[in-house]
Amino acid sequence: MKITQNEINEIVGSEVVRASSSLDLFAIELSGERALVLEAQLDGTDAVIVPSVVPASDMPFSKEAVCAVDWSWIYGSSISQVSISEEQVKLSFDPHGPVTVAVSVWQGKPFLSFMPYKAPPRLI
């Protein structure tokens, strides 16, 4: 399911409740009983990110132990901006700053990468 501009507008300002990621999935539970789901998929031989907004009760959680990311550093922050293309999604979290999710292919399978994947150091 493709995300609409209206759905993007509705999640801006939402607070992050929890998040989970795997090699091909990033899911963020938001206030208002919604979740933003970003899934890496193949479109022919090209990797694309397929975003969707789903009810929080339908939010997928990864059971992968490989490449586990602790997203607790974004909990409680709010989404201040969202920019989506097929190759990357830029999320700005207030007060934690931006996170860019990108997609690529390795050995014929799509995967997601995250920058940053942990809390950035605070400037003194």
Side-chain angles (χ1 to χ4, degrees), residues 54-74:
V54 300
S57 58
D58 294 343
M59 180 176 154
F61 274 93
S62 173
K63 295 182 172 92
E64 282 184 20
V66 177
C67 299
V69 175
D70 177 5
W71 290 106
S72 62
W73 62 276
I74 64 170

Side-chain angles (χ1 to χ4, degrees), residues 21-121:
S21 62
S22 65
L23 290 175
D24 62 356
L25 185 75
F26 185 37
I28 305 170
E29 182 179 347
L30 303 168
S31 58
E33 301 296 318
R34 298 173 293 203
L36 173 63
V37 178
L38 306 176
E39 186 175 359
Q41 294 183 0
L42 285 179
D43 183 9
T45 57
D46 296 326
V48 296
I49 297 175
V50 178
S52 60
V53 175
V54 300
S57 58
D58 294 343
M59 180 176 154
F61 274 93
S62 173
K63 295 182 172 92
E64 282 184 20
V66 177
C67 299
V69 175
D70 177 5
W71 290 106
S72 62
W73 62 276
I74 64 170
Y75 295 5
S77 61
S78 62
I79 295 179
S80 59
Q81 189 174 6
V82 179
S83 173
I84 297 176
S85 73
E86 287 187 340
E87 296 84 25
Q88 69 180 16
V89 174
K90 292 182 181 181
L91 301 164
S92 291
F93 296 99
D94 184 21
H96 299 295
V99 172
T100 300
V101 182
V103 67
S104 194
V105 176
W106 186 67
Q107 294 187 348
K109 294 181 183 177
F111 71 92
L112 297 175
S113 62
F114 309 96
M115 186 54 77
Y117 62 90
K118 61 182 178 178

